[in-house]
């Protein structure tokens, strides 16, 4: 594999397939995207191959490899997807099938792991070897880097930080368990709490009620953030609640992994200090050995929506270099 040739990163999501042609230094050279077909595995694989072909055509020279990121339980060593919650994939040899269509080496990775790797190499974690990423949007994903290596576990399913259980008697999570971190600390959690406040008819929710015209189903997490930035106390409190839960969850994660850095990404991170300040306060309250040990820094992600595709592209470069005994 040429160390100077670009690689391609693809993020296969439930609504879109986004791809980028990525230089070795992480620069995005070209982009392509299509809507995710709803019909079948075959259609999604065909659409993914089409995005790859478009990016190959956009390159000035040869492309070395492709990294595929998807929200799924992934065995990266085999390029195998065990299960995907938002796409009807069960036991799919994704890497092998895409390789046959595009004629390039393919590496498959969980999307949050790919984003964590992108932040580690090119973003907020580029100066540390031990970090975790929590990416908080509709759900809650995570990825862990330890001693400069991505932690994926024995079966490729490691790093599911959004499913650390905070309360076994809590609300049901989409994964089937109760009280997972993502139930309390995600964009969906923020939206759910805001809608409940609107529907309660409490006077403290008046600004939120005006924002959605009284129809709680129209309220979004971005509405809460914008109102909080404008000084609405109820919206500030909603973000504080999410941040407090998140800080508690991060303390639990850090008790196991002991990272130097915790990076928070995803749509919820757009709230900035409105969520970051209560995260840090709650983390300090729940950290084991607090006051008698070093503490990790808790910061916002830097790569935004590019983290997944850039991380997947560089992950392909790294994994294939390791397989061939070369450098990344």
């Amino acid at each position: 594999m040429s160390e100077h040739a670009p690689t391609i990163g693809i993020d296969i999501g439930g609504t879109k397939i986004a791809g980028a042609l990525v230089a070795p230094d992480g620069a995005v050279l070209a982009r392509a995207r299509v809507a995710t077909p709803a019909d079948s595995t075959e259609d999604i694989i065909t659409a993914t191959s089409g995005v790859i072909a478009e990016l190959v055509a956009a390159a000035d020279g040869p492309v070395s490899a492709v990294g595929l990121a998807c929200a799924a339980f992934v065995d990266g060593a085999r390029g195998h997807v065990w299960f995907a919650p938002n796409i009807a994939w069960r036991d799919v040899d994704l890497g092998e099938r895409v390789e046959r269509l595009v004629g390039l080496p393919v590496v498959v990775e969980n999307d949050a792991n790919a984003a964590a790797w992108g932040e580690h190499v090119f973003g907020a974690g580029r100066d540390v070897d031990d970090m975790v990423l929590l990416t908080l949007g509709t759900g809650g994903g995570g990825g862990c880097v330890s001693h400069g290596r991505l932690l994926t576990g024995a079966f490729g399913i490691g790093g599911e930080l959004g499913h650390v259980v905070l309360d076994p008697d809590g609300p049901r999570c989409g994964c089937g368990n109760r009280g997972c971190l993502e139930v309390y600390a995600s964009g969906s959690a923020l939206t759910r709490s805001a809608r409940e406040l609107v529907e309660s008819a409490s006077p403290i929710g008046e600004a939120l009620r005006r924002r959605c015209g009284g129809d709680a189903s129209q309220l979004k997490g971005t509405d809460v953030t914008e109102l909080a930035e404008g000084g609405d106390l109820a919206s500030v409190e909603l973000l504080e609640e999410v941040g407090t839960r998140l800080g508690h969850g991060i303390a639990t994660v850090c008790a196991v992994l002991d990272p130097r850095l915790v990076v928070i990404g995803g749509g919820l991170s757009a709230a900035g200090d409105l969520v970051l300040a209560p995260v840090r306060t709650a983390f300090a309250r729940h950290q084991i050995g607090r006051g008698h040990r070093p503490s990790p820094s808790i910061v916002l992600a830097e790569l935004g929506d590019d983290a997944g595709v850039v991380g997947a592209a560089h992950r392909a470069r790294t994994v294939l270099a390791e397989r061939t005994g070369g450098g990344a």
Side-chain angles (χ1 to χ4, degrees), residues 48-204:
T48 299
S49 300
V51 172
I52 294 168
E54 183 177 342
L55 292 168
V56 168
D60 290 334
V63 173
S64 293
V66 177
L68 300 180
C70 50
F73 292 161
V74 171
D75 182 347
R78 297 170 50 206
H80 184 81
V81 174
W82 298 108
F83 167 82
N86 300 316
I87 299 173
W89 285 353
R90 308 292 185 269
D91 292 322
V92 177
D93 288 323
L94 182 62
E96 178 184 336
R97 294 173 69 174
V98 174
E99 275 189 5
R100 288 201 302 265
L101 290 172
V102 303
L104 289 168
V106 173
V107 171
V108 183
E109 189 55 81
N110 169 271
D111 60 344
N113 283 349
W117 189 253
E119 288 288 343
H120 166 59
V121 179
F122 300 113
R126 57 186 171 273
D127 296 323
V128 301
D129 286 336
D130 295 89
M131 60 159 279
V132 298
L133 169 74
L134 283 150
T135 176
L136 305 167
T138 303
C144 317
V145 176
S146 179
H147 301 295
R149 298 186 66 84
L150 191 64
L151 284 180
T152 56
F155 304 106
I157 304 173
E160 289 289 343
L161 305 181
H163 298 287
V164 170
V165 174
L166 298 186
D167 181 359
D169 297 318
R172 184 77 67 182
C173 177
C175 75
N177 288 331
R178 289 186 179 274
C180 292
L181 177 60
E182 78 166 41
V183 172
Y184 299 107
S186 64
S188 295
L190 178 64
T191 301
R192 183 180 64 250
S193 294
R195 290 174 178 176
E196 288 174 355
L197 181 57
V198 167
E199 291 171 346
S200 73
S202 168
I204 67 171

Side-chain angles (χ1 to χ4, degrees), residues 206-299:
E206 186 55 34
L208 289 161
R209 199 169 294 112
R210 289 196 304 270
R211 182 66 172 236
C212 64
D215 183 356
S217 68
Q218 298 302 307
L219 202 62
K220 302 184 293 295
T222 51
D223 295 319
V224 180
T225 298
E226 290 173 9
L227 286 170
E229 289 171 342
D232 177 52
L233 293 181
S235 298
V236 170
E237 288 177 4
L238 289 170
L239 284 166
E240 286 178 347
E241 289 173 5
V242 169
T244 297
R245 289 286 197 171
L246 181 54
H248 182 190
I250 288 172
T252 301
V253 168
C254 289
V256 178
L257 297 171
D258 190 30
R260 182 176 295 275
L261 180 72
V262 177
V263 180
I264 299 173
L268 191 61
S269 67
D273 283 342
L274 286 166
V275 73
L276 204 58
V279 166
R280 289 169 172 158
T281 299
F283 172 79
R285 186 181 305 125
H286 293 287
Q287 184 187 26
I288 59 168
R290 51 193 174 275
H292 300 282
R293 51 160 294 171
S295 294
S297 299
I298 303 175
V299 302

